[in-house]
mmCIF file with all atom_site columns, all heavy atoms in Angstrom:
data_model
loop_
_atom_site.group_PDB
_atom_site.id
_atom_site.type_symbol
_atom_site.label_atom_id
_atom_site.label_alt_id
_atom_site.label_comp_id
_atom_site.label_asym_id
_atom_site.label_entity_id
_atom_site.label_seq_id
_atom_site.pdbx_PDB_ins_code
_atom_site.Cartn_x
_atom_site.Cartn_y
_atom_site.Cartn_z
_atom_site.occupancy
_atom_site.B_iso_or_equiv
_atom_site.pdbx_formal_charge
_atom_site.auth_seq_id
_atom_site.auth_comp_id
_atom_site.auth_asym_id
_atom_site.auth_atom_id
_atom_site.pdbx_PDB_model_num
ATOM 1  N N   . ALA A 1 80 ? 54.402 -32.933 -44.836 1.00 94.00 ? 80 ALA A N   1
ATOM 2  C CA  . ALA A 1 80 ? 55.905 -33.226 -45.169 1.00 94.00 ? 80 ALA A CA  1
ATOM 3  C C   . ALA A 1 80 ? 56.028 -34.763 -45.178 1.00 94.00 ? 80 ALA A C   1
ATOM 4  O O   . ALA A 1 80 ? 56.793 -35.252 -46.112 1.00 94.00 ? 80 ALA A O   1
ATOM 5  C CB  . ALA A 1 80 ? 56.753 -32.580 -44.087 1.00 94.00 ? 80 ALA A CB  1
ATOM 6  N N   . ALA A 1 81 ? 55.433 -35.477 -44.284 1.00 92.00 ? 81 ALA A N   1
ATOM 7  C CA  . ALA A 1 81 ? 55.540 -36.912 -44.275 1.00 92.00 ? 81 ALA A CA  1
ATOM 8  C C   . ALA A 1 81 ? 54.952 -37.589 -45.497 1.00 92.00 ? 81 ALA A C   1
ATOM 9  O O   . ALA A 1 81 ? 55.532 -38.481 -46.046 1.00 92.00 ? 81 ALA A O   1
ATOM 10 C CB  . ALA A 1 81 ? 54.986 -37.528 -43.032 1.00 92.00 ? 81 ALA A CB  1
ATOM 11 N N   . ASP A 1 82 ? 53.782 -37.107 -45.915 1.00 92.00 ? 82 ASP A N   1
ATOM 12 C CA  . ASP A 1 82 ? 52.982 -37.650 -47.061 1.00 92.00 ? 82 ASP A CA  1
ATOM 13 C C   . ASP A 1 82 ? 53.776 -37.390 -48.275 1.00 92.00 ? 82 ASP A C   1
ATOM 14 O O   . ASP A 1 82 ? 53.414 -38.127 -49.234 1.00 92.00 ? 82 ASP A O   1
ATOM 15 C CB  . ASP A 1 82 ? 51.643 -37.138 -47.030 1.00 92.00 ? 82 ASP A CB  1
ATOM 16 C CG  . ASP A 1 82 ? 50.748 -37.640 -45.929 1.00 92.00 ? 82 ASP A CG  1
ATOM 17 O OD1 . ASP A 1 82 ? 51.138 -38.612 -45.218 1.00 92.00 ? 82 ASP A OD1 1
ATOM 18 O OD2 . ASP A 1 82 ? 49.678 -36.999 -45.668 1.00 92.00 ? 82 ASP A OD2 1
ATOM 19 N N   . ALA A 1 83 ? 54.613 -36.410 -48.400 1.00 96.00 ? 83 ALA A N   1
ATOM 20 C CA  . ALA A 1 83 ? 55.377 -36.172 -49.570 1.00 96.00 ? 83 ALA A CA  1
ATOM 21 C C   . ALA A 1 83 ? 56.451 -37.204 -49.812 1.00 96.00 ? 83 ALA A C   1
ATOM 22 O O   . ALA A 1 83 ? 57.030 -37.244 -50.872 1.00 96.00 ? 83 ALA A O   1
ATOM 23 C CB  . ALA A 1 83 ? 55.921 -34.674 -49.492 1.00 96.00 ? 83 ALA A CB  1
ATOM 24 N N   . GLU A 1 84 ? 56.706 -38.023 -48.886 1.00 94.00 ? 84 GLU A N   1
ATOM 25 C CA  . GLU A 1 84 ? 57.652 -39.070 -48.943 1.00 94.00 ? 84 GLU A CA  1
ATOM 26 C C   . GLU A 1 84 ? 56.933 -40.487 -49.288 1.00 94.00 ? 84 GLU A C   1
ATOM 27 O O   . GLU A 1 84 ? 55.901 -40.654 -48.810 1.00 94.00 ? 84 GLU A O   1
ATOM 28 C CB  . GLU A 1 84 ? 58.571 -39.148 -47.693 1.00 94.00 ? 84 GLU A CB  1
ATOM 29 C CG  . GLU A 1 84 ? 59.232 -37.896 -47.311 1.00 94.00 ? 84 GLU A CG  1
ATOM 30 C CD  . GLU A 1 84 ? 60.332 -37.446 -48.248 1.00 94.00 ? 84 GLU A CD  1
ATOM 31 O OE1 . GLU A 1 84 ? 60.824 -38.287 -49.081 1.00 94.00 ? 84 GLU A OE1 1
ATOM 32 O OE2 . GLU A 1 84 ? 60.687 -36.268 -48.259 1.00 94.00 ? 84 GLU A OE2 1
ATOM 33 N N   . SER A 1 85 ? 57.639 -41.244 -50.007 1.00 93.00 ? 85 SER A N   1
ATOM 34 C CA  . SER A 1 85 ? 57.075 -42.602 -50.368 1.00 93.00 ? 85 SER A CA  1
ATOM 35 C C   . SER A 1 85 ? 57.530 -43.708 -49.376 1.00 93.00 ? 85 SER A C   1
ATOM 36 O O   . SER A 1 85 ? 56.783 -44.621 -49.179 1.00 93.00 ? 85 SER A O   1
ATOM 37 C CB  . SER A 1 85 ? 57.368 -42.932 -51.818 1.00 93.00 ? 85 SER A CB  1
ATOM 38 O OG  . SER A 1 85 ? 58.750 -42.988 -52.084 1.00 93.00 ? 85 SER A OG  1
ATOM 39 N N   . ASP A 1 86 ? 58.730 -43.563 -48.902 1.00 93.00 ? 86 ASP A N   1
ATOM 40 C CA  . ASP A 1 86 ? 59.292 -44.584 -47.986 1.00 93.00 ? 86 ASP A CA  1
ATOM 41 C C   . ASP A 1 86 ? 58.788 -44.383 -46.584 1.00 93.00 ? 86 ASP A C   1
ATOM 42 O O   . ASP A 1 86 ? 58.850 -43.344 -45.969 1.00 93.00 ? 86 ASP A O   1
ATOM 43 C CB  . ASP A 1 86 ? 60.780 -44.549 -48.033 1.00 93.00 ? 86 ASP A CB  1
ATOM 44 C CG  . ASP A 1 86 ? 61.474 -45.490 -46.967 1.00 93.00 ? 86 ASP A CG  1
ATOM 45 O OD1 . ASP A 1 86 ? 61.309 -46.635 -47.184 1.00 93.00 ? 86 ASP A OD1 1
ATOM 46 O OD2 . ASP A 1 86 ? 62.032 -45.000 -46.026 1.00 93.00 ? 86 ASP A OD2 1
ATOM 47 N N   . PRO A 1 87 ? 58.206 -45.371 -45.976 1.00 92.00 ? 87 PRO A N   1
ATOM 48 C CA  . PRO A 1 87 ? 57.544 -45.235 -44.606 1.00 92.00 ? 87 PRO A CA  1
ATOM 49 C C   . PRO A 1 87 ? 58.609 -44.809 -43.512 1.00 92.00 ? 87 PRO A C   1
ATOM 50 O O   . PRO A 1 87 ? 58.244 -44.053 -42.762 1.00 92.00 ? 87 PRO A O   1
ATOM 51 C CB  . PRO A 1 87 ? 57.108 -46.685 -44.274 1.00 92.00 ? 87 PRO A CB  1
ATOM 52 C CG  . PRO A 1 87 ? 56.802 -47.284 -45.570 1.00 92.00 ? 87 PRO A CG  1
ATOM 53 C CD  . PRO A 1 87 ? 57.961 -46.729 -46.443 1.00 92.00 ? 87 PRO A CD  1
ATOM 54 N N   . TRP A 1 88 ? 59.893 -45.190 -43.561 1.00 95.00 ? 88 TRP A N   1
ATOM 55 C CA  . TRP A 1 88 ? 60.895 -44.805 -42.587 1.00 95.00 ? 88 TRP A CA  1
ATOM 56 C C   . TRP A 1 88 ? 61.128 -43.189 -42.861 1.00 95.00 ? 88 TRP A C   1
ATOM 57 O O   . TRP A 1 88 ? 61.178 -42.530 -41.921 1.00 95.00 ? 88 TRP A O   1
ATOM 58 C CB  . TRP A 1 88 ? 62.109 -45.526 -42.655 1.00 95.00 ? 88 TRP A CB  1
ATOM 59 C CG  . TRP A 1 88 ? 63.111 -45.076 -41.672 1.00 95.00 ? 88 TRP A CG  1
ATOM 60 C CD1 . TRP A 1 88 ? 64.293 -44.377 -41.894 1.00 95.00 ? 88 TRP A CD1 1
ATOM 61 C CD2 . TRP A 1 88 ? 63.036 -45.365 -40.201 1.00 95.00 ? 88 TRP A CD2 1
ATOM 62 N NE1 . TRP A 1 88 ? 64.824 -44.085 -40.615 1.00 95.00 ? 88 TRP A NE1 1
ATOM 63 C CE2 . TRP A 1 88 ? 64.205 -44.678 -39.670 1.00 95.00 ? 88 TRP A CE2 1
ATOM 64 C CE3 . TRP A 1 88 ? 62.191 -46.105 -39.484 1.00 95.00 ? 88 TRP A CE3 1
ATOM 65 C CZ2 . TRP A 1 88 ? 64.370 -44.724 -38.316 1.00 95.00 ? 88 TRP A CZ2 1
ATOM 66 C CZ3 . TRP A 1 88 ? 62.371 -46.095 -38.115 1.00 95.00 ? 88 TRP A CZ3 1
ATOM 67 C CH2 . TRP A 1 88 ? 63.552 -45.427 -37.558 1.00 95.00 ? 88 TRP A CH2 1
ATOM 68 N N   . THR A 1 89 ? 61.327 -42.986 -44.085 1.00 95.00 ? 89 THR A N   1
ATOM 69 C CA  . THR A 1 89 ? 61.594 -41.454 -44.427 1.00 95.00 ? 89 THR A CA  1
ATOM 70 C C   . THR A 1 89 ? 60.281 -40.588 -44.005 1.00 95.00 ? 89 THR A C   1
ATOM 71 O O   . THR A 1 89 ? 60.475 -39.456 -43.623 1.00 95.00 ? 89 THR A O   1
ATOM 72 C CB  . THR A 1 89 ? 61.847 -41.274 -45.847 1.00 95.00 ? 89 THR A CB  1
ATOM 73 O OG1 . THR A 1 89 ? 62.956 -42.178 -46.246 1.00 95.00 ? 89 THR A OG1 1
ATOM 74 C CG2 . THR A 1 89 ? 62.347 -39.915 -46.197 1.00 95.00 ? 89 THR A CG2 1
ATOM 75 N N   . GLN A 1 90 ? 59.163 -41.210 -44.158 1.00 93.00 ? 90 GLN A N   1
ATOM 76 C CA  . GLN A 1 90 ? 57.924 -40.411 -43.736 1.00 93.00 ? 90 GLN A CA  1
ATOM 77 C C   . GLN A 1 90 ? 57.974 -40.124 -42.224 1.00 93.00 ? 90 GLN A C   1
ATOM 78 O O   . GLN A 1 90 ? 57.716 -39.046 -41.782 1.00 93.00 ? 90 GLN A O   1
ATOM 79 C CB  . GLN A 1 90 ? 56.719 -41.315 -43.969 1.00 93.00 ? 90 GLN A CB  1
ATOM 80 C CG  . GLN A 1 90 ? 56.336 -41.314 -45.510 1.00 93.00 ? 90 GLN A CG  1
ATOM 81 C CD  . GLN A 1 90 ? 55.076 -42.170 -45.710 1.00 93.00 ? 90 GLN A CD  1
ATOM 82 O OE1 . GLN A 1 90 ? 54.742 -43.040 -44.858 1.00 93.00 ? 90 GLN A OE1 1
ATOM 83 N NE2 . GLN A 1 90 ? 54.385 -41.967 -46.869 1.00 93.00 ? 90 GLN A NE2 1
ATOM 84 N N   . LEU A 1 91 ? 58.480 -41.127 -41.460 1.00 94.00 ? 91 LEU A N   1
ATOM 85 C CA  . LEU A 1 91 ? 58.532 -40.908 -39.987 1.00 94.00 ? 91 LEU A CA  1
ATOM 86 C C   . LEU A 1 91 ? 59.646 -39.930 -39.659 1.00 94.00 ? 91 LEU A C   1
ATOM 87 O O   . LEU A 1 91 ? 59.323 -38.948 -38.919 1.00 94.00 ? 91 LEU A O   1
ATOM 88 C CB  . LEU A 1 91 ? 59.044 -42.231 -39.293 1.00 94.00 ? 91 LEU A CB  1
ATOM 89 C CG  . LEU A 1 91 ? 59.273 -42.088 -37.772 1.00 94.00 ? 91 LEU A CG  1
ATOM 90 C CD1 . LEU A 1 91 ? 58.019 -41.776 -37.030 1.00 94.00 ? 91 LEU A CD1 1
ATOM 91 C CD2 . LEU A 1 91 ? 60.056 -43.285 -37.287 1.00 94.00 ? 91 LEU A CD2 1
ATOM 92 N N   . THR A 1 92 ? 60.803 -40.046 -40.248 1.00 95.00 ? 92 THR A N   1
ATOM 93 C CA  . THR A 1 92 ? 61.960 -39.055 -39.874 1.00 95.00 ? 92 THR A CA  1
ATOM 94 C C   . THR A 1 92 ? 61.621 -37.703 -40.350 1.00 95.00 ? 92 THR A C   1
ATOM 95 O O   . THR A 1 92 ? 61.903 -36.744 -39.691 1.00 95.00 ? 92 THR A O   1
ATOM 96 C CB  . THR A 1 92 ? 63.234 -39.491 -40.417 1.00 95.00 ? 92 THR A CB  1
ATOM 97 O OG1 . THR A 1 92 ? 63.194 -39.755 -41.832 1.00 95.00 ? 92 THR A OG1 1
ATOM 98 C CG2 . THR A 1 92 ? 63.705 -40.933 -39.741 1.00 95.00 ? 92 THR A CG2 1
#
Side-chain angles (χ1 to χ4, degrees):
D82 290 346
E84 303 293 339
S85 57
D86 173 65
W88 182 256
T89 308
Q90 288 178 337
L91 173 70
T92 57

